[in-house]
Amino acid sequence: MNAEKTDLRTRSEVYEHLRALVQRGNHIVALEDAARIAEEAADPAAALQALTYQVIAAVNLRRTAECVRLLGKAFAAVDAHWDAAIAGELHVLAGWLAFQRGAVDLSVRHVILARRIFERADPTGIGVLDGWHDVALTFSYLGLHEHALAAIEQVRQAELRAGNLYDSISPEVPLRYALARDHRGDPAGCLRVLADLVTDAAARRARGTHPFPPVDWAYVAYAVARSAAMGAPVALDVSGYEADLGPGAEEQEIRAMVAVCEALTRGDGDGALELLAGLKLSDQTFGAAEPHRLRVLAHTLRGDVGAALDAQNAMLRLVCDRLERYSDLFVDGVAARIDHENLRHKTVRYAGDARTDPLTGLPNRRFLHHYLEDLALHGTPAMLGLCDLDGFKAVNDTHGHAVGDLVLERVAAIMARIVRRHDLVARYGGDEFVLILPAASPEQAGLIGERLLATIAAEDWATLVPGSRLTASIGWSPLDPRDPAGGIRAADHAMYAMKSQHHS
């Protein structure tokens, strides 16, 4: 069935049709139908739903470049016709794309934004529980399994309130969690999670109300095969799971890895290694460490202790590398919280009307004027910088104001990270920011400005604003405490002189 042969007018009809195609693994048909519906639908909500499924289908087909183009278009559309479930889903998809490009911090940021949107959304609304599922999946891809399980729990609770037995929950998230436990040295914990997963799958099949989509059943088959390969067979017949699998890369990877586990179960370590040698696997399906773990089991079967230790060390290096990356993110997060705490202490000094920009968390123009008055009162010398994003209007026009807001938040975070602890960054309005550097020389201000502009230009903007190149211009002026407005005007002239050089 495709959109040419069915009359899809409402958003609900579009959602049900495209969702069914995706669940059956018909991603190419889903992509084609979604493109046609998005182009032809008279109802903006139906067109937006179709556009979102274009992105979802492209993600499942792993067509990253196409995802980037479609995602920018979808963010602009949801900005014009706001829908919480779709906005949250788009952030999840942006998080997946960032993950594919290695931008872990940006990926986590998008998924957290999605989670916050879904927390405020009606769980009975179209696509909300699917969105929670996708939050769980993306956290799972990132290796943040506790967060993934917490998102799944949101779905469980919503379905229990609706009288369902969480028959829409994918086994992919608990499977990846189980494997991660094994990779980190907890095989007993892995087997417990796998056993629970298989028990739930057996109960769901016995109820027969919501059968697993083919790819989900393939993940169950891997859980069964993996348990058996570890010497703990479970009682569930998964024969014939391949019959309805599509030709996609994910399905092919699962099929191949099941075959490896079956060889291990037969005691054929050589056969398992031969199968693994011919595989090209995505890191996201089972985690980058999984092939190495299976090599450990294969070499152990062969009695080759040295090769088993080498495979074990390769697995542990991957696990530790990921933990190290996340530890860096943790440190950056703590530093950001300290900066925000220092900012709050400054803000308390000027208690009264709201003086914090709600979008970026930076001081706003009102706060800035009071701060300048304080500098004037104490006669403190300072350098004043005015920074403006180049071509920001084009970002809003192309990608929508929701994405533009994300850009401003990210630029604000960069500025707060680059300046010294006692410096001040404020949002002056629109995409303009003011930097106050007390007791700084023009040379010091110039160095800070160069580092700031280089960091903004080097940031990975491709996922957030595909096709757009983001740079900034900054102008500096010594601050005369007796005439702060004159300092702002002088910095403004210097900034526009830099912009003119950029365009010449």
Side-chain angles (χ1 to χ4, degrees), residues 10-49:
T10 69
R11 177 191 170 191
S12 177
E13 291 170 339
V14 170
Y15 166 78
E16 294 294 342
H17 171 67
L18 296 175
R19 182 175 186 265
L21 287 173
V22 168
Q23 285 195 332
R24 291 197 297 269
N26 295 336
H27 304 306
I28 293 176
V29 178
L31 187 65
E32 293 170 351
D33 279 11
R36 185 163 44 248
I37 296 167
E39 184 69 25
E40 296 174 356
D43 179 7
L48 179 57
Q49 184 68 75

Side-chain angles (χ1 to χ4, degrees), residues 37-241:
I37 296 167
E39 184 69 25
E40 296 174 356
D43 179 7
L48 179 57
Q49 184 68 75
L51 179 56
T52 304
Y53 264 98
Q54 275 186 271
V55 186
I56 292 171
V59 162
N60 287 325
L61 291 167
R62 299 183 184 175
R63 297 182 180 179
T64 305
E66 192 169 359
C67 290
V68 170
R69 177 182 62 79
L70 290 169
L71 193 59
K73 186 177 178 182
F75 266 121
V78 80
D79 191 48
H81 301 281
W82 175 259
D83 180 274
I86 289 178
E89 183 68 44
L90 294 178
H91 278 297
V92 175
L93 295 166
W96 179 86
L97 279 171
F99 167 68
Q100 294 299 306
R101 292 167 176 262
V104 175
D105 58 337
L106 183 57
S107 178
V108 172
R109 179 180 178 80
H110 273 296
V111 184
I112 288 174
L113 285 169
R115 186 175 66 184
R116 289 178 178 175
I117 290 172
F118 290 131
E119 284 171 347
R120 297 191 296 269
D122 179 0
T124 65
I126 294 174
V128 173
L129 291 188
D130 285 346
W132 272 115
H133 266 294
D134 291 342
V135 166
L137 287 172
T138 309
F139 272 136
S140 180
Y141 294 149
L142 287 160
L144 301 172
H145 300 290
E146 296 297 334
H147 294 279
L149 294 174
I152 286 294
E153 187 59 27
Q154 292 281 346
V155 181
R156 289 186 186 274
Q157 294 302 320
E159 292 206 335
L160 282 173
R161 287 193 295 272
N164 299 329
L165 291 170
Y166 29 89
D167 275 350
S168 67
I169 292 176
S170 168
E172 182 178 349
V173 171
L175 172 63
R176 207 173 284 117
Y177 170 59
L179 299 180
R181 293 188 70 159
D182 191 27
H183 301 159
R184 297 178 186 183
D186 183 15
C190 168
L191 287 172
R192 284 195 300 272
V193 177
L194 290 176
D196 289 343
L197 188 163
V198 172
T199 299
D200 287 346
R204 177 167 166 179
R205 183 159 74 174
R207 287 193 295 272
T209 50
H210 294 85
F212 278 121
V215 70
D216 284 355
W217 193 244
Y219 277 109
V220 175
Y222 189 72
V224 172
R226 185 63 151 76
S227 295
M230 295 175 72
V234 290
L236 181 64
D237 181 11
V238 293
S239 59
Y241 80 92

